[in-house]
Amino acid sequence: MSREQRPNPRLNEDLLFNEAPGGPPRYSPLTHKPVQYLTVSDRDGQVIGYVWANDEDDAAGWEVRKAGGDEAFNKGARWARKLHDAKARGVAPTTALAEMIQESDPTKSSHVVPGSLTEAPNLGFVEGLANQ
């Protein structure tokens, strides 16, 4: 006598994921308003990406320059971390940019290009620069 094995009905249930509150504070990754941005380069002067901010939407982020490849991506982690740290301290996004300018050191693997603080009409403009 053979027994037919029936699948456990629990294996067919939909999984429900509920987002848990908490985690580190983060700036919003999106804004449709004008942004201020900084150009970041490596020791050789090659642009590796852009740090942008908008206070009105409490938004800020790092855009890696695609042409910089893996090296630019890896060096960019430092700039994203600076943004995370600034948000954790309750710093406004554009104030975080000002801190980055003051703390920039051209002897490090990457630094803010002096005099590069610029305003763009929107985040899409900065993303376009990064994708060139």
Side-chain angles (χ1 to χ4, degrees):
M1 168 183 226
S2 72
R3 288 187 172 175
E4 184 178 326
Q5 288 187 336
R6 296 185 184 191
N8 184 330
R10 295 182 84 186
L11 298 177
N12 293 329
E13 292 177 8
D14 288 334
L15 296 176
L16 299 175
F17 293 99
N18 297 320
E19 188 173 335
R26 301 274 191 237
Y27 293 117
S28 172
L30 298 172
T31 183
H32 298 291
K33 298 180 175 118
V35 298
Q36 292 182 14
Y37 70 94
L38 298 171
T39 303
V40 178
S41 71
D42 63 15
R43 280 191 192 116
D44 299 326
Q46 297 297 313
V47 174
I48 63 166
Y50 306 91
V51 185
W52 61 269
N54 171 283
D55 287 344
E56 194 174 346
D57 288 335
D58 195 37
W62 162 255
E63 294 295 327
V64 66
R65 187 166 175 255
K66 304 299 186 252
D70 292 340
E71 190 172 337
F73 179 83
N74 291 337
K75 289 178 181 175
R78 175 177 175 227
W79 300 94
R81 193 170 42 255
K82 285 180 177 280
L83 287 173
H84 298 319
D85 293 346
K87 178 62 177 176
R89 291 184 288 116
V91 173
T94 57
T95 302
L97 293 186
E99 288 179 354
M100 290 178 195
I101 292 170
Q102 290 176 341
E103 297 168 359
S104 185
D105 182 353
T107 65
K108 300 284 185 187
S109 63
S110 60
H111 64 277
V112 172
V113 173
S116 68
L117 181 62
T118 308
E119 186 163 321
N122 54 47
L123 176 55
F125 180 87
V126 179
E127 292 171 334
L129 290 174
N131 289 322
Q132 289 181 357

